[in-house]
Amino acid sequence: MLRLSNINTFYGPSQVLQDVSLEVNKGEIVCLLGANAAGKTTTMKTIFGLVRARSGSIIFNDRDITRKATDAIVSSGLALVPEGRRVFSRMTVLENLEMGAYTRKSKAEFKSDLEHVCEIFPRIKERLKQVAGTMSGGEQQMLAMARALLSRPSMVCMDEPSMGLSPLMVETVFETILRIREEGKTIFLVEQNASMALKLADRGYVLQTGKIVLSDTAKNLLTNDLVRQAYLGGA
Ligand code: ATP
């Protein structure tokens, strides 16, 4: 469904991604693990055209999106839940959700999609009129996820959804990710919380200083020595 082949991304003269190749198949949850500064967010940004790969290709649903504009990528069915949630903090929850649906014109469709996301995220339903910036970190994460779903994506990319959340909220976020998958969506997840991500994912990749150094089923990664030492606290 999504395939990155030999992606090389630079910020000015410094190369951040080196020959990154990975794929996510329909219906899968795939995670990308890596330490701080490994290049996880840069991978997401490259997929969405927020930074441009200098070489390599990105194919989504058999279409080459390597040089497409971000809004065209989103319209083609790929949604991003960005790092740090990035909700529009001065807007209300409802206005944030409307922004997520900007690719669609029909008000009736928006209404029924809104009802649907309120079912998945009950906390949002209670808070539609609240100013988004006054919500807790966990609530803002839910809002960012709900907003992404309103573009009716077939695949959702999430950049560190557990970052800065309490253990209980992390559980809720991960349960919600499973629920989203049950709705038939494919999920690509970037995470530093390797133990949670690998419990949820089907497969995973490990990124070290911009290179994919390991790729396996989540089950095998959980018992892999390198993963255990570097990302699971040697557990
Ligand atoms: P973290 O988990 O800390 O967010 P990450 O794996 O997501 O890390 P990236 O944000 O992709 O890492 O950053 C990879 C490298 O690229 C880092 O060394 C970072 O300093 C550098 N970098 C990121 N954004 C820019 C930028 N806009 N200009 C220059 N360098 C950048």
Side-chain angles (χ1 to χ4, degrees):
M1 187 165 201
L2 178 73
R3 192 169 65 245
L4 276 61
S5 307
N6 304 104
I7 289 293
N8 290 290
T9 302
F10 292 70
Y11 291 112
S14 72
Q15 182 163 12
V16 176
L17 299 184
Q18 296 186 40
D19 270 330
V20 168
S21 296
L22 59 86
E23 59 184 42
V24 184
N25 301 310
K26 194 169 186 322
E28 280 188 317
I29 298 181
V30 173
C31 66
L32 179 66
L33 306 176
N36 275 322
K40 303 181 300 299
T41 297
T42 302
T43 304
M44 285 298 193
K45 286 186 172 170
T46 306
I47 294 171
F48 283 85
L50 296 165
V51 287
R52 290 290 172 195
R54 191 171 289 183
S55 61
S57 72
I58 307 170
I59 307 290
F60 176 59
N61 277 339
D62 299 325
R63 288 169 57 191
D64 189 340
I65 59 164
T66 321
R67 314 251 158 248
K68 291 261 186 292
T70 305
D71 62 337
I73 295 170
V74 173
S75 298
S76 73
L78 198 56
L80 175 66
V81 182
E83 183 180 31
R85 343 209 207 279
R86 301 281 165 82
V87 299
F88 300 103
S89 58
R90 290 182 185 188
M91 291 185 182
T92 65
V93 169
L94 180 60
E95 285 163 349
N96 267 273
L97 295 171
E98 283 168 353
M99 297 297 281
Y102 79 98
T103 49
R104 277 181 295 112
K105 305 273 180 288
S106 157
K107 277 196 178 152
E109 266 184 17
F110 174 69
K111 197 161 168 267
S112 79
D113 286 1
L114 181 64
E115 276 166 20
H116 184 61
V117 298
C118 285
E119 224 180 278
I120 304 176
F121 304 96
R123 283 189 190 221
I124 286 193
K125 189 177 182 175
E126 300 157 12
R127 288 162 194 274
L128 288 174
K129 295 208 173 83
Q130 187 170 337
V131 173
T134 64
M135 297 206 302
S136 74
E139 288 162 355
Q140 289 188 27
Q141 185 62 48
M142 296 292 178
L143 175 57
M145 288 161 80
R147 183 181 60 187
L149 290 182
L150 280 163
S151 65
R152 291 197 171 180
S154 50
M155 178 167 170
V156 185
C157 296
M158 302 186 189
D159 194 351
E160 304 220 20
S162 75
M163 193 167 55
L165 302 183
S166 68
L168 193 66
M169 207 60 223
V170 171
E171 292 274 349
T172 310
V173 165
F174 279 86
E175 278 163 19
T176 312
I177 295 172
L178 278 179
R179 164 94 198 255
I180 293 170
R181 191 255 285 272
E182 278 163 21
E183 305 220 327
K185 314 241 182 261
T186 303
I187 292 166
F188 182 48
L189 185 67
V190 160
E191 261 300 340
Q192 277 201 49
N193 188 336
S195 64
M196 285 298 282
L198 289 172
K199 278 181 202 143
L200 192 79
D202 302 301
R203 291 190 301 114
Y205 292 87
V206 176
L207 190 66
Q208 265 182 6
T209 53
K211 290 186 194 143
I212 301 283
V213 293
L214 202 56
S215 147
D216 209 333
T217 60
K219 197 164 159 258
N220 287 345
L221 288 175
L222 270 169
T223 55
N224 178 286
D225 281 346
L226 181 141
V227 174
R228 284 160 64 103
Q229 278 161 24
Y231 306 106
L232 298 172

